[in-house]
């Protein structure tokens, strides 16, 4: 089972996101669920579930969670996020493996680098680049 969580600067069209998730994870579209967190009851059982929630502000205003069942063996989180960023022209922030709240991994269609986020904004659950 895979479990990914990241933030995006904007949410793609949900139909296009559904197709992209199906392709990135190489699963039948019927086995993919895309829906708003807490609002759609989770849908029917899915091989890959992609839920999202509006964080109400900040540069990266959408949290996206992707989970899979035990039949899916990859790809890695950064590969999934990079594929989505290339496809939709979005920017994403991923947590680093380090114990720093201030450092995040920024992935765009053309780059992948470590950035610093504003901790005061983060206290309000808003993701804003400090640089």
């Amino acid at each position: 089972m895979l479990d990914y969580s990241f933030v995006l600067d904007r949410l793609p069209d949900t139909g296009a996101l559904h197709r992209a998730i199906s392709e990135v994870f190489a699963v039948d579209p019927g086995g993919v669920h895309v829906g708003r967190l807490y609002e759609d009851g989770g849908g029917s059982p899915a091989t890959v579930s992609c839920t999202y929630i509006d964080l109400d502000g900040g540069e990266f205003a959408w949290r996206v969670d992707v989970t899979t069942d035990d039949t899916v063996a990859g790809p890695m989180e950064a590969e999934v996020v990079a594929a989505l960023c290339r496809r939709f022209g979005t920017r994403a922030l991923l947590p680093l493996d380090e114990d720093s709240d201030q450092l995040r991994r920024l992935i765009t269609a053309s780059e992948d680098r470590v950035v610093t986020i504003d901790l005061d904004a983060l206290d309000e659950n808003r993701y804003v680049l400090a640089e």
Side-chain angles (χ1 to χ4, degrees), residues 48-97:
V48 180
S49 176
C50 175
T51 56
Y52 55 88
I53 190 167
D54 183 347
L55 296 176
D56 199 28
E59 286 181 67
F60 297 83
W62 293 92
R63 189 182 93 206
V64 177
D65 299 313
V66 178
T67 58
T68 70
D69 69 12
D70 292 334
T71 65
V72 178
M76 301 298 291
E77 181 177 36
E79 295 171 33
V80 170
V81 173
L84 296 176
C85 288
R86 283 191 303 272
R87 184 169 188 151
F88 298 114
T90 58
R91 298 180 306 152
L93 289 177
L94 283 74
L96 291 175
D97 292 333

Side-chain angles (χ1 to χ4, degrees), residues 86 107-112:
R86 283 191 303 272
I107 297 179
T108 70
S110 60
E111 69 178 329
D112 183 343

